[in-house]
Amino acid sequence: MGGPSGGPSAEPDITPVVLTQSNGITSESRSETPGSSAGEPHDYRVAFTAARLAMALVDRDGWVLEANQALGSLLGSSPAGLAARVATGLLGLAEDDPVRTAYREVLAGRRDHLRCTRRVKLRDGGFLWAEVTLTGTGGGCGAALLSVEDVGERHSLREQLRHLQMHDSVTRLPNRALFFERLSAALDGAGSRTGRIGLCYLDLDGFKAINDTLGHRIGDELLAAVAQRLQTCAEPGGNLVARLGGDEFALLVRDSTGTGQATVLAESVLTALQRPFDVDGQRLAVSASIGVVEREVAGSSATGLMQAADTTLYWAKADGKARWTLFDPERNAHRMTRQALSSTLRQAVERGEFILEYQPLVGLDSGMLRGVEALVRWQHPHFGRLAPDRFIGLAEENGSIVQLGRWVLAESCRQARVWQKDHPDDPIFISVNVAVRQVWDSDLVADVAAILEETGLPPELLQLELTESAVMGSAGRPLQALHALSEMGVRIAIDDFGTGYSNLAYMSRLPVSALKLDGSFVQGFRSAEHPNPADETIVEALVELAHRLGLTVTAECVENAEQAERLRRIGCDTGQGWHYSRPVAAERISGLLDT
């Protein structure tokens, strides 16, 4: 379809070449075309010999039939010395399977051409980088044209560009890309002597402050100095050091001999960084937190290894910084469980996975049931029934405590209203724990008012428990909420009293109506044979002061009758603990009320 001027389908006008062999030497004859005669000098040797491109003719078995001067010069041999030699040996074409297979397919006529870059060894012991092309010539002789081009400068430039791309400009260390390339290669396991790998992942402590106060130039110089010390630590073991970004570095231990090798390396890094750095006339000090991971190569992945290292680095920082921490599968499993629980808390409330149990609060003077504390449990579909200490802290961290606390409050008031209706002459109160975040992140006063109105529960039958540390020093919104709730008729109790500030003078200015003594005070009452006079004296003083302030006192963690009797003599109003009952379902409380 295209014309002589050339279009998408224009064919070049090339006179066919026919190759013949005579005594091992290939010659040519051209088919006659109009305007030419057989006697004109069309011998291909003129162009073949004079060409600047190194070339050779190869037969179907891979033997060099003829080479030109350019190829001889390139390989440091005469053209005649290259003839009758195997091309694969000259150019290293048999060193890897894909190239060798493609080479044979071209010679057999099953493939048009081959192009590859090879590192060719020369006769003088040197080498060159060459681009090798093998093209079948067609015809019946089965020969192929081999061309070799010196691409050393191009290869060198490419290597220089790759070096720039794969190394950090500040520290001259391998960067993140090169680190992961080497890590992936190490995890392939090829050539590994031990089948194990180690990783030290470190982050500088306090580097941001230096960067912010002294500027990025000083910060960069400090990073370069740190890199030099890391290389000094890594050199004896031939370990790779890389800067992953910011003030994060990694040391890769290939062919690890065990956990000890990685931890010794981490310890040497900590020791090296303890010495101050002199940067631009300033004496600077930094430390590092290091996460250490060491494991078998088999079954490991780059992603999994880095996740484990990142987790362990977080542990090192959480444990106090300036230290290394070794990856612990059990600790990681606990973390993963926490993460799984945290991520599903909100949906769990919506799915109705939480239930309430109730623990009695018993009058120490009469033994009668005065109230109950509502305690939430999580009926998790995978982990079973979870106590509050497994998820309340997580709920406070991610904010779902507001949603969960609102549900607990509503469900508790609904149940308390049922008990009130069933026993109107002697109703019991319901005590509900409230987190500080519920006061700050929601309108607790409005929530309580709406729930009381919806359930019909009288305000005086609701007691809200807040921890001592949450109430002490309250100002602004929390204090306003406490006063509003108290004016509404709701009772306010301080939970775990005695573990925080214990400031009764300040407490007198708060709208508090009850104290719940922390169980640690009651532990000294366990044995009547070996009483602890100090514990009893402290509790007696607290109870007396509380009563003078108009507060009632509940003793938590009462476990036996002797404790209950001694607390009664001291003057505690109510007791709570396994001596009376474990937390039970609402039906069990109803049974107690009916007896």
Side-chain angles (χ1 to χ4, degrees), residues 236-385:
N239 303 309
L240 174 71
V241 184
R243 181 190 178 196
L244 302 188
D247 58 343
E248 297 178 359
F249 297 83
L251 292 87
L252 181 62
V253 183
R254 291 162 290 201
D255 295 322
S256 171
T257 57
T259 299
Q261 183 180 7
T263 56
V264 167
L265 177 60
E267 189 64 40
S268 70
V269 168
L270 291 180
T271 302
L273 296 182
Q274 284 178 353
R275 303 191 310 273
F277 293 86
D278 292 318
V279 178
D280 196 31
Q282 304 206 46
R283 199 165 180 80
L284 304 176
V286 293
S287 61
S289 299
I290 308 176
V292 181
V293 182
E294 200 279 339
R295 59 179 55 170
E296 291 185 356
V297 169
S300 298
S301 66
T303 301
L305 193 67
M306 289 306 298
Q307 285 178 342
D310 186 62
T311 297
T312 313
L313 173 60
Y314 171 80
W315 293 344
K317 285 190 172 294
D319 292 343
K321 301 181 180 181
R323 68 191 63 217
W324 59 263
T325 301
L326 184 65
F327 181 77
D328 180 358
E330 291 186 6
R331 185 174 180 180
N332 186 59
H334 178 68
R335 182 188 69 88
M336 296 297 289
T337 300
R338 279 177 55 88
Q339 184 176 349
L341 294 177
S342 179
S343 63
T344 57
L345 261 167
R346 297 181 189 276
Q347 297 88 334
V349 177
E350 298 169 359
R351 289 193 296 262
E353 294 178 3
F354 292 94
I355 61 172
L356 291 181
E357 292 183 334
Y358 304 89
Q359 188 169 32
L361 283 79
V362 178
L364 288 171
D365 56 348
S366 64
M368 300 294 294
L369 182 63
R370 298 279 186 84
V372 293
E373 180 181 353
L375 300 169
V376 64
R377 306 286 189 259
W378 187 353
Q379 280 296 106
H380 197 279
H382 302 297
F383 301 115
R385 178 171 292 196

Side-chain angles (χ1 to χ4, degrees), residues 64 99 218 326 375 399 501 538:
V64 176
V99 171
I218 298 296
L326 184 65
L375 300 169
Y501 296 91
I538 292 172

Side-chain angles (χ1 to χ4, degrees), residues 126-192:
F127 70 90
L128 63 86
W129 285 98
E131 184 174 271
V132 180
T133 303
L134 183 68
T135 306
T137 60
C141 67
L145 179 64
L146 183 71
S147 63
V148 183
E149 181 183 359
D150 184 352
V151 293
E153 288 189 15
R154 188 193 313 167
H155 185 271
S156 177
L157 178 59
R158 187 182 298 117
E159 287 297 304
Q160 291 177 29
L161 290 174
R162 173 176 165 77
H163 183 86
L164 291 174
Q165 292 172 347
M166 293 295 189
H167 287 75
D168 175 51
S169 60
V170 174
T171 63
R172 302 293 189 267
L173 293 176
N175 62 14
R176 190 179 191 87
L178 183 54
F179 171 78
F180 275 96
E181 182 180 290
R182 300 282 176 82
L183 175 60
S184 298
L187 289 173
D188 285 343
S192 175

Side-chain angles (χ1 to χ4, degrees), residues 69 231 249 258 282 338 378 394-395 518 528 569 572 579 593:
Q69 183 61 47
Q231 285 181 301
F249 297 83
Q282 304 206 46
R338 279 177 55 88
W378 187 353
L394 298 176
D518 185 72
R569 291 200 306 265
C572 280
H579 171 60
L593 290 172

Side-chain angles (χ1 to χ4, degrees), residues 71 80 86 105 146 156 178 209-210 246 269 285 290 326 384 392 415 468 499 534:
L71 182 60
V86 180
E105 289 179 348
L146 183 71
S156 177
L178 183 54
I210 294 175
V269 168
I290 308 176
L326 184 65
I392 290 297
Q415 182 60 57
E468 180 183 348
T499 59

